[in-house]
Amino acid sequence: MENTSPFHLAIPVHNLRACRTFYRDVLGCDEGRSSEHWVDFNFFGHQLVIHYKPKETSTALHTNAVDGKDVPVPHFGVVLSWAVFHAFAEELKSKHIQFVIEPYVRFKGLVGEQATMFFYDPSGNALEFKAFKDIKQLFAN
């Protein structure tokens, strides 16, 4: 597939104000249209919409083991270039992001070697950003 179309993703947030600030000021996403219940963002060229949803009384977190780490499920994010990933990771560290999985390179020396990092937004949505030294390995098996 040569051309990638932007995706649209709508996620629930229980604190619209904190998440609006997080996606705009911490992740650097430009804000688009909004109402008192939702906000559109340019999420690295894709349309991310945060929708207010009251906080649930119990939120069971689930993880799956990947490369010896507990990866939060579900999660979403973007594949960045190698250089952009590392610069973005340093920027997030300077903003004191609390990582679930600190930026590191997994599957070293194997097919699919990639840099990755995981963290949560203020409403508990898990995000993963990753990068491949060789983007052709994105779908390698």
Side-chain angles (χ1 to χ4, degrees), residues 80 82-97 99 102-104 115-117 119 129:
L80 303 171
W82 195 260
V84 169
F85 172 90
H86 291 286
F88 188 51
E90 290 305 313
E91 180 182 338
L92 292 174
K93 287 177 186 177
S94 75
K95 293 178 178 179
H96 308 289
I97 287 294
F99 293 97
E102 294 275 340
Y104 84 108
T116 186
M117 60 181 149
F119 52 90
F129 287 85

Side-chain angles (χ1 to χ4, degrees), residues 62-73 75 100-101 104 106 118 120:
H62 180 78
T63 61
N64 283 335
V66 178
D67 193 35
K69 309 271 188 199
D70 291 326
V71 170
V73 176
H75 62 265
V100 176
I101 298 176
Y104 84 108
R106 70 176 166 203
F118 286 83
Y120 291 105

Side-chain angles (χ1 to χ4, degrees), residues 22 24 31 51 66 73 81-82 85 93 100 103 116 122 130 132 138-139:
F22 175 82
R24 184 189 60 222
E31 191 174 312
H51 281 273
V66 178
V73 176
S81 72
W82 195 260
F85 172 90
K93 287 177 186 177
V100 176
T116 186
K130 61 170 64 178
F132 291 80
L138 179 63
F139 299 109

Side-chain angles (χ1 to χ4, degrees), residues 32-80:
R33 293 167 293 156
S34 66
S35 82
E36 62 186 64
H37 300 289
W38 56 268
V39 182
D40 280 347
F41 288 100
N42 177 345
F43 186 73
F44 299 83
H46 304 282
Q47 185 187 41
L48 174 68
V49 186
I50 59 173
H51 281 273
Y52 174 74
K53 178 183 175 189
K55 187 173 185 176
E56 296 178 8
T57 54
S58 69
T59 53
L61 297 178
H62 180 78
T63 61
N64 283 335
V66 178
D67 193 35
K69 309 271 188 199
D70 291 326
V71 170
V73 176
H75 62 265
F76 71 97
V78 178
V79 178
L80 303 171

